[in-house]
Amino acid sequence: MADDCGRHDDKQQLAKRVAVAIFGFLIIFAIVVFLITLVSRNPNERIGIYYHKLDVLASYRNQQITLPTLIPRTYQGHQDVTVWSPLLYGNAVPIAPFLEVGLNQDMNAGMVLLNVKAFGQLKWKVGTWISGRYQININCPIYISFTGRTKAVQVGVAMKYQLVQSCSVDISLLN
């Protein structure tokens, strides 16, 4: 038989503390659905853009609230305008408890700030030359107002907002 270490109480106490820590952590789940429209305009007269692996998601207070949605590979020619309409969806997305308090405060104030983020890779095309890959990061702040006269239109049980705001774009060479 194996020798008894005589520390059963210590192991049981540790197990109880771990169980209390796990049960003390509350996770709130949310269902989030956004149909958004992103518009990109290439102002260049001689440079085309290949978009590769472009993912789009929504976040609230720097926490991702939807799954990334992959945008199909796209070539944007000289002075072209490209429109994407991805469905951003998060079913039972875990939300940190402090965000519920923040969301309630924002809704009581009448305005919520969300961010639509896109990230991926692109290449430049000049004539027949195609560059190496570059990293692109896009952040679009979206202020949604719940008070006063908003430009929202009710569509069934949903609300449609037309938000025309500029986004920040960061492009850097991949290593």
Side-chain angles (χ1 to χ4, degrees), residues 110-115 140-146 161 163 165:
M111 184 172 286
V112 173
L113 170 63
L114 299 175
N115 290 81
C140 303
I142 299 172
Y143 293 95
I144 299 176
S145 176
F146 297 104
Y161 290 86
L163 304 167
Q165 294 171 257

Side-chain angles (χ1 to χ4, degrees), residues 40-89:
S40 173
R41 186 178 70 83
N42 180 359
N44 297 299
E45 293 181 8
R46 297 186 178 138
I47 302 172
I49 305 169
Y50 285 104
Y51 292 95
H52 296 272
K53 299 179 185 176
L54 194 60
D55 281 311
V56 181
L57 58 87
S59 69
Y60 173 71
R61 295 195 178 193
N62 285 327
Q63 182 176 343
Q64 182 177 328
I65 60 172
T66 65
L67 297 172
T69 300
L70 183 64
I71 300 293
R73 290 181 177 216
T74 306
Y75 175 74
Q76 187 175 38
H78 316 141
Q79 298 182 325
D80 277 354
V81 174
T82 304
V83 178
W84 298 287
S85 293
L87 179 67
L88 303 183
Y89 182 78

Side-chain angles (χ1 to χ4, degrees), residues 128-174:
T128 58
W129 177 81
I130 298 175
S131 73
R133 291 184 188 253
Y134 286 77
Q135 176 71 36
I136 183 169
N137 293 304
I138 303 165
N139 183 24
C140 303
I142 299 172
Y143 293 95
I144 299 176
S145 176
F146 297 104
T147 61
R149 296 183 54 94
T150 63
K151 303 211 182 210
V153 176
Q154 187 165 355
V155 181
V157 296
M159 297 299 287
K160 180 179 178 181
Y161 290 86
Q162 181 175 357
L163 304 167
V164 180
Q165 294 171 257
S166 60
C167 302
S168 66
V169 179
D170 180 47
I171 299 173
S172 58
L173 185 61
L174 282 176

